[in-house]
Amino acid sequence: MTNANGLKHLSDLDLIYSYLVNAGKLGDLEPANALRCALKCAHDAGVMIRNNVEGRALGSEVNLNTKSSVADLVTETDVAVEKCIRARISQTFPSHMFVGEETANGEISQSARSAGFVWIIDPIDGTTNFVHAFPIVTVSIALAYKDESVMGVVYNPLTDEAWFAWKGCGAYMKRACGSIVSIRTSTCTSVGSALISTGFGVAFLRRQTKAVSEQAKILEIVSQNVKVLMTGARDIRRIGSAACDMCYVAMGRTDSYFEFGVREWDIAAGLVILHEAGGESSTIRGATPYSIRGRNVLVADTNALRVELNSVLREDNIIELIEIVESN
Ligand code: IPD
Ligand code: CA
């Protein structure tokens, strides 16, 4: 499904709405209103991110801080983008709840989540890439209803590629040239012919903590999994943005992605895009369906591949180990 005229900007919205003709109202929410808001947020965030990267090419400095460890980065742009997105969402949907990595990552009660709408935002997913102007940097915007992702928009302003989905309406990609295409996962069924992306938990491993033996154990499990794939898979990629990892599986650029320690803002938007593109998800232990707060995710283009990975990847009790590291 291609638009011959092309879409110059993410804010050229009418065409995108036409892909949602089958979406029914959720409570009192019109899907097109939510998608319009998400796309405007992604577009404006993209302008801020691009301007910053281009400014640095001309000599300006990135304004950088660290969070939980020297490898857990935040910049002025992360915070500014989140504030901008949050302001637009709260103005448009004042009764909706908001979770964002930089300004609102506190707990919302389970009963509140089960009752209503929660916007789940990562203003920059791939902050390390952003700091290095490595061009895989995404804005990730999800809407959950009754604790399930129903809408996902992921936008990489440095490549001008966007992915979007509404539950039940399929998954789509806007290419840099402006055309919009329906996306499907590829059909790989075995690890031996799969291209697999992952992340290494560097932020946990570089944390100054008393939980040194837990960190050593995490390193051992992560390394063991990489070793298994180095000898068993077609190859491995480290993309640096979990939202992008999910979209690459959804569109068939890669066959699978797994990672320990992810948070809901990394995964929530990509998950609905992946499912709508026909992909499969679980925890690394194999619990299905993946819940957005699961903290360890395994996605694959086919169930056969997901099940094979589930049997070759070590999981041990890594989430418990990560929680000990996080609380020390
Ligand atoms: C990170 C990226 C990275 C993944 C980390 C995430 P951030 O998000 O998605 O690829 O490995 O787990 O925390 O910090 O760049 O928003
Ligand atoms: Ca982030």
Side-chain angles (χ1 to χ4, degrees):
M1 200 180 301
T2 306
N3 160 38
N5 296 321
L7 181 83
K8 286 202 193 66
H9 300 293
L10 262 190
S11 52
D12 295 346
L13 302 170
D14 288 350
L15 187 66
I16 292 183
Y17 301 146
S18 65
Y19 291 89
L20 291 182
V21 283
N22 297 324
K25 263 177 113 167
L26 277 184
D28 59 359
L29 180 75
E30 280 292 349
N33 292 344
L35 191 70
R36 176 183 295 118
C37 178
L39 291 167
K40 281 188 176 152
C41 288
H43 176 262
D44 292 354
V47 171
M48 294 166 81
I49 291 168
R50 236 181 352 251
N51 284 347
N52 184 282
V53 172
E54 284 166 9
R56 277 187 276 139
L58 299 173
S60 67
E61 298 269 306
V62 67
N63 202 323
L64 178 65
N65 279 306
T66 57
K67 298 190 283 186
S68 63
S69 77
V70 291
D72 188 6
L73 307 180
V74 59
T75 70
E76 250 177 21
T77 311
D78 294 70
V79 177
V81 167
E82 185 163 314
K83 279 190 182 149
C84 166
I85 294 177
R86 192 175 183 178
R88 187 189 290 276
I89 290 172
S90 57
Q91 193 180 29
T92 317
F93 301 107
S95 65
H96 292 188
M97 293 165 277
F98 184 93
V99 173
E101 180 175 11
E102 309 304 345
T103 65
N105 58 18
E107 287 300 304
I108 298 177
S109 72
Q110 187 56 50
S111 59
R113 285 178 184 268
S114 307
F117 291 99
V118 185
W119 290 78
I120 304 166
I121 310 298
D122 195 338
I124 299 184
D125 187 42
T127 301
T128 304
N129 286 346
F130 172 69
V131 167
H132 290 264
F134 187 89
I136 297 187
V137 172
T138 58
V139 183
S140 176
I141 301 175
L143 178 64
Y145 181 57
K146 298 189 173 171
D147 215 16
E148 187 194 357
S149 275
V150 292
M151 180 197 73
V153 171
V154 174
Y155 179 42
N156 181 347
L158 303 185
T159 60
D160 203 16
E161 292 179 319
W163 299 265
F164 59 95
W166 189 280
K167 188 168 180 253
C169 296
Y172 303 91
M173 177 191 185
K174 183 201 83 70
R175 292 179 173 143
C177 63
S179 62
I180 296 180
V181 287
S182 167
I183 54 171
R184 295 293 297 169
T185 56
S186 54
T187 53
C188 174
T189 52
S190 72
V191 172
S193 45
L195 182 61
I196 298 172
S197 71
T198 188
F200 303 121
V202 174
F204 301 116
L205 297 171
R206 298 199 65 193
R207 217 157 159 147
Q208 294 292 324
T209 163
K210 289 190 221 98
V212 175
S213 61
E214 283 80 2
Q215 285 172 305
K217 183 86 178 144
I218 293 170
L219 180 59
E220 185 206 316
I221 297 164
V222 170
S223 310
Q224 182 63 39
N225 285 337
V226 171
K227 273 188 199 161
V228 164
L229 297 182
M230 280 171 73
T231 48
R234 180 165 283 165
D235 210 337
I236 309 172
R237 294 288 178 268
R238 173 26 173 175
I239 289 169
S241 159
C244 191
D245 285 287
M246 304 281 286
C247 294
Y248 278 11
V249 179
M251 68 180 289
R253 267 185 192 157
T254 54
D255 299 298
S256 171
Y257 157 66
F258 69 97
E259 184 167 351
F260 299 109
V262 289
R263 306 298 298 254
E264 61 183 307
W265 45 81
D266 299 316
I267 298 298
L271 198 60
V272 62
I273 294 167
L274 173 97
H275 286 157
E276 287 299 311
E280 302 283 336
S281 69
S282 67
T283 63
I284 294 166
R285 257 185 205 142
T288 56
Y290 183 71
S291 130
I292 48 180
R293 282 184 302 293
R295 306 259 7 231
N296 77 100
V297 67
L298 166 60
V299 301
D301 47 18
T302 62
N303 203 43
L305 179 60
R306 188 191 62 74
V307 169
E308 190 184 343
L309 279 162
N310 180 234
S311 69
V312 299
L313 293 175
R314 269 179 71 182
E315 195 276 344
D316 299 31
N317 288 323
I318 197 165
I319 297 309
E320 287 82 338
L321 298 171
I322 287 171
E323 279 165 0
I324 295 170
V325 172
E326 282 179 338
S327 62
N328 266 271

